[in-house]
């Protein structure tokens, strides 16, 4: 590949994994638009309702926080965990009223290092994030750790074959077969249901885990 094109694709991949700076603002808007169908499906699959303690891990542009807040109403709570300092700053500005009221909390953290207590959440979603985690088993163990005994975890991923045709995925993405992600969740002690998402241009998959 042309070195200039390779550099551009590497920048795109890096921004998708960790939005930051001036480009990150545009990436946040892109993520909200592009990821909304998957995130909405994940929120529904997680069966989020009033009084629930819910979380979006790797919330990026923040559309998942919006959808979760709508579902928990005034009696539940939402936690957003994000690696990117710029996305945390953006969320603190955009959701200032929800943070003040205590309905929402946003914290810095990663899939393999969640700053959350054991057995603290009823519903957890994380969409288009596991591509950027070298140790998938550690991530699934962390996600399972924070679930309550009747909690629900929904992992959303793009179809790996379709993702492999995107020009930027060779630069920092780890595209795993759906069966491998399912197996990692099962090793973390979850039973897993698989649902297809026939979206275009990239179809997706929801993996819904519950403590066994």
């Amino acid at each position: 590949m042309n070195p200039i094109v390779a550099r551009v694709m590497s920048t795109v991949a890096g921004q998708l994994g960790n939005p930051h700076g001036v480009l990150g603002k545009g990436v946040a808007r892109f993520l909200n638009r592009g990821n909304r169908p998957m995130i909405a499906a994940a929120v529904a699959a997680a069966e989020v309702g009033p009084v629930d303690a819910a979380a979006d891990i790797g919330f990026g542009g923040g559309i998942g926080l919006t959808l979760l807040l709508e579902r928990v109403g005034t009696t539940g709570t939402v936690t957003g965990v994000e690696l990117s300092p710029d996305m945390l700053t953006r969320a603190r500005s955009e959701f200032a009223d929800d943070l003040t009221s205590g309905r929402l909390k946003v914290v810095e953290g990663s899939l393999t290092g969640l700053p959350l207590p054991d057995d603290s959440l009823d519903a957890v979603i994380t969409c288009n994030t596991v591509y950027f985690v070298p140790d998938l088993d550690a991530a699934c163990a962390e996600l399972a750790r924070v679930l309550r005994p009747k909690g629900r975890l929904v992992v959303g991923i793009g179809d790996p074959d379709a993702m492999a045709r995107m020009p930027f995925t060779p630069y920092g993405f780890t595209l795993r077969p759906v069966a491998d992600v399912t197996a990692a969740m099962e090793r973390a002690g979850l039973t897993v249901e698989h649902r297809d998402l026939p979206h275009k241009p990239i179809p997706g998959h929801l993996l819904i885990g519950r403590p066994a």
Side-chain angles (χ1 to χ4, degrees):
M1 180 179 286
N2 180 293
I4 295 175
V5 175
R7 189 157 55 248
V8 170
M9 290 299 103
S10 181
T11 298
V12 170
Q15 284 286 347
L16 291 172
N18 184 5
H20 58 277
V22 175
L23 284 177
K25 295 177 182 179
V27 169
R29 291 190 290 271
F30 169 79
L31 291 174
N32 278 344
R33 288 195 305 271
N35 289 342
R36 185 181 183 112
M38 176 184 285
I39 293 172
V43 170
E47 301 173 9
V48 180
V51 312
D52 274 351
D56 185 357
I57 312 302
F59 60 77
I63 187 62
L65 302 180
T66 297
L67 297 177
L68 288 172
L69 286 165
E70 290 174 356
R71 293 291 289 260
V72 303
T74 59
T75 54
T77 60
V78 174
T79 300
V81 180
E82 175 56 54
L83 186 65
S84 166
D86 286 3
M87 294 302 98
L88 286 164
T89 298
R90 184 179 191 273
R92 288 175 181 133
S93 174
E94 184 173 343
F95 296 96
D97 291 344
D98 297 302
L99 290 163
T100 299
S101 73
R103 295 177 65 223
L104 174 66
K105 178 171 68 174
V106 295
V107 294
E108 184 175 1
S110 69
L111 282 169
T112 53
L114 297 175
L116 303 170
D118 295 354
D119 305 327
S120 57
L121 296 170
D122 300 294
V124 177
I125 67 167
T126 186
C127 293
N128 288 327
T129 56
V130 298
Y131 324 122
F132 308 107
V133 179
D135 191 339
L136 184 60
D137 280 333
C140 289
E142 268 292 86
L143 291 165
R145 176 184 67 79
V146 301
L147 280 183
R148 289 174 176 160
K150 294 185 178 181
R152 293 85 61 193
L153 164 67
V154 182
V155 177
I157 60 173
D159 182 79
D161 292 334
M163 294 280 289
R165 295 192 288 271
M166 298 294 103
F168 49 82
T169 53
Y171 301 90
F173 282 66
T174 300
L175 303 177
R176 301 176 176 90
V178 175
D180 288 3
V181 182
T182 299
M185 294 172 68
E186 291 174 342
R187 286 192 293 271
L190 304 173
T191 59
V192 182
E193 174 192 353
H194 175 201
R195 298 182 191 174
D196 290 323
L197 297 175
H199 296 147
K200 295 181 180 181
I202 300 176
H205 305 272
L206 293 183
L207 302 175
I208 304 156
R210 301 173 187 269

